Amino acid sequence: MNLLQLKDLTITFGGLTAVDHVNFNVEKNQIFGLIGPNGSGKTTIFNLITGIYKPTKGEVYLEDEQVSGLRPDQVASKGITRTFQNIRLFKELTVLENVLIGSHCMIKTGFVDDLFGTPKKRKEEKLALERARELLAFFHLDTVENEMAGSLPYGKQRELEIVRALAAQPKLLLLDEPAAGMNPQESQNLMQLIFKIRDTGLTVLIVEHDMKVVMGICDRLAVLNYGKKIAEGTPAEIQRNEEVIEAYLGRKEENNA
């Protein structure tokens, strides 16, 4: 069953079409990869899905409900959260506080509850704290919950950013180049973390340049080039696709000598 659907998704900036009539579906409990050369439109698609950009044409559906055109906070409340290429942790706050911030969109109390500290407010805060600690324990970050986020090793900061995104209890998690800057061991740990996330019942959409990571974890892949989708299939199918090989490596000039 499809969780995410992109239908003719298009966005134009001035005279430049950054994403050009892109279509693909992501099934529930799938790890789906979005790859392509630099500037091919991958992060722009993430921004369209999460409401940072509004499409010029086309729609995004989550479980058959249109989410394109909604604000980012509304998209998050529907069940889509993300990480970014550049780590965006609150580095002067603790690990636990960062995860609690991630759960903010799940808080349903209003101004009056906040002002007077009502029982409803206290209950929601308690549940958020319990959820945050459960997540940290599940991903083996509970031993550092009181450390400043900025003091963690780079790989652990990346993991914490993923955990913070999970605090909003999403249906779909978008990971934008999560392996960027990681050493081989950190990348291997990341792969296991993503499998662990999928095994909890979540669906993952990942943009990544590290082909070892992408080919090692994804069930299916879509390939972009100059804003257009040029291929879709399993990792094995993508690796054999001539158009994909050309997009990454360029067409070899025939030797007429």
Side-chain angles (χ1 to χ4, degrees), residues 176-218:
D176 194 353
E177 296 195 30
M182 286 188 172
N183 61 42
Q185 184 58 55
E186 289 171 334
S187 295
Q188 187 64 38
N189 293 342
L190 173 70
M191 292 169 69
Q192 296 307 313
L193 177 61
I194 294 172
F195 280 133
K196 198 171 183 179
I197 291 167
R198 191 270 308 277
D199 290 345
T200 67
L202 267 72
T203 304
V204 179
L205 176 60
I206 180 172
V207 163
E208 184 53 65
H209 281 292
D210 187 327
M211 288 298 104
K212 185 175 180 181
V213 170
V214 170
M215 297 298 173
I217 64 171
C218 289

Side-chain angles (χ1 to χ4, degrees), residues 72-90:
D73 62 300
Q74 293 172 320
V75 174
S77 70
K78 295 291 184 183
I80 300 176
T81 58
R82 69 173 294 180
T83 64
F84 292 85
Q85 289 182 19
N86 300 315
I87 294 175
R88 297 192 181 185
L89 294 174
F90 295 94

Side-chain angles (χ1 to χ4, degrees), residues 252-257:
K252 292 183 179 179
E253 297 292 335
E254 294 206 14
N255 186 355
N256 296 321

Side-chain angles (χ1 to χ4, degrees), residues 142-237:
D142 50 318
T143 58
V144 295
E145 71 169 44
N146 293 317
E147 292 188 21
M148 294 296 116
S151 71
L152 297 181
Y154 181 83
K156 290 297 181 184
Q157 289 190 36
R158 283 281 183 189
E159 290 180 13
L160 175 58
E161 191 170 40
I162 294 172
V163 173
R164 184 177 65 181
L166 292 173
Q169 301 179 43
K171 300 171 184 175
L172 175 66
L173 176 64
L174 276 58
L175 302 177
D176 194 353
E177 296 195 30
M182 286 188 172
N183 61 42
Q185 184 58 55
E186 289 171 334
S187 295
Q188 187 64 38
N189 293 342
L190 173 70
M191 292 169 69
Q192 296 307 313
L193 177 61
I194 294 172
F195 280 133
K196 198 171 183 179
I197 291 167
R198 191 270 308 277
D199 290 345
T200 67
L202 267 72
T203 304
V204 179
L205 176 60
I206 180 172
V207 163
E208 184 53 65
H209 281 292
D210 187 327
M211 288 298 104
K212 185 175 180 181
V213 170
V214 170
M215 297 298 173
I217 64 171
C218 289
D219 300 300
R220 289 184 67 80
L221 297 161
V223 187
L224 298 176
N225 196 26
Y226 297 109
K228 293 178 179 288
K229 189 183 82 172
I230 61 171
E232 183 178 340
T234 65
E237 290 168 342

